Amino acid sequence: MDFSKLKNQSGKSSLEKLTGELAKLNQQTEGGKDTRFWYPNVDKAGNGYAVIRFLPAPGDEEVPFVRMFEHGFKGPTGSWYIENSLTTIGKPDPVGEMNSKLWNMSTDDESPSRKQARAQKRKLGYICNVYVIQDQANPENNGKVFLFKFGKKIFDKLNDAMNPQFPGDVPMNPFDLWSGADFKLKIRNVEGYRNYDKSEFSSPAPL
């Protein structure tokens, strides 16, 4: 450890820099939500609509999205456990290890241990940058860039655009500013859950 360097970094300027960074972090959270993220809202019936544009990879990053695993479940004490899974970065995760033990406790799929393991299994999600074109519920978000977290359903829409299944369909890069396309996010309430099946891309056009 270079103590002379640490000594040069101490003092008023170092404190001001640190408090400035803390202020930025405080500004990024509001009511428990990270304000860097865009959250599509729905009406009382559970329906919602918005138009967004997926943006290309920022800076020197090669891929425009990141893939993350997370756990979210209520434990035996009634408290919720909501954490990212270490398997995202290729490391063993304690919840995953516990789930393996629970699963192997019985061969009956309907046993309490296997039901608990299923309830605690990791969930796959993705995060990328989006440009909000139209947010019906919160028009103040229009014209702004946010982080957007989404699941497999929407990722499948992206994958289908890049890898069409039918002859004659032209592959499209939905993250391209010029040859990409606006994404019409259509949210419905289906059996108590948010459903994105009706969501679709518009015709390719520059942003």
Side-chain angles (χ1 to χ4, degrees):
M1 182 178 292
D2 189 342
F3 287 98
S4 61
K5 185 177 180 180
L6 287 174
K7 186 176 181 181
N8 291 333
Q9 291 176 344
S10 65
K12 184 178 179 181
S13 60
S14 178
L15 178 60
E16 290 176 348
K17 183 178 180 180
L18 180 59
T19 54
E21 290 300 318
L22 288 175
K24 289 180 184 179
L25 291 173
N26 290 332
Q27 290 173 358
Q28 289 173 355
T29 58
E30 181 180 288
K33 286 188 176 181
D34 190 332
T35 55
R36 297 173 302 167
F37 282 79
W38 176 69
Y39 302 91
N41 289 329
V42 295
D43 58 22
K44 292 181 179 179
N47 302 317
Y49 178 80
V51 181
I52 60 176
R53 185 75 172 239
F54 294 96
L55 299 180
D60 297 328
E61 296 182 26
E62 297 181 358
V63 181
F65 59 86
V66 294
R67 189 180 71 159
M68 295 186 67
F69 290 103
E70 64 179 6
H71 294 281
F73 59 88
K74 184 179 290 188
T77 63
S79 298
W80 280 90
Y81 178 90
I82 301 175
E83 292 290 345
N84 295 327
S85 171
L86 288 171
T87 57
T88 298
I89 55 176
K91 293 185 177 182
D93 185 85
V95 177
E97 293 175 351
M98 181 175 67
N99 285 345
S100 295
K101 293 179 181 178
L102 288 169
W103 190 263
N104 293 328
M105 287 173 62
S106 173
T107 57
D108 180 6
D109 281 350
E110 297 304 316
S111 65
S113 61
R114 287 201 170 187
K115 286 183 178 181
Q116 183 181 349
R118 278 195 293 269
Q120 297 176 174
K121 69 180 181 180
R122 66 181 188 176
K123 296 177 177 63
L124 176 60
Y126 302 86
I127 298 175
C128 73
N129 287 305
V130 296
Y131 177 82
V132 178
I133 297 174
Q134 181 184 355
D135 184 342
Q136 283 190 335
N138 298 288
E140 65 273 12
N141 292 328
N142 296 346
K144 296 180 181 178
V145 174
F146 294 92
L147 292 169
F148 178 44
K149 184 177 181 180
F150 53 95
K152 184 179 182 300
K153 284 284 186 181
I154 294 178
F155 185 81
D156 286 346
K157 299 282 185 182
L158 292 167
N159 186 56
D160 289 344
M162 293 183 284
N163 302 284
Q165 300 177 8
F166 300 101
D169 290 345
V170 180
M172 177 193 70
N173 179 2
F175 299 95
D176 191 274
L177 293 176
W178 291 270
S179 60
D182 298 346
F183 185 68
K184 292 183 284 188
L185 186 66
K186 300 176 181 179
I187 307 171
R188 297 179 301 142
N189 182 3
V190 178
E191 297 181 353
Y193 294 93
R194 287 193 178 190
N195 184 282
Y196 303 93
D197 289 345
K198 298 293 185 181
S199 300
E200 60 183 347
F201 282 99
S202 301
S203 299
L207 176 62

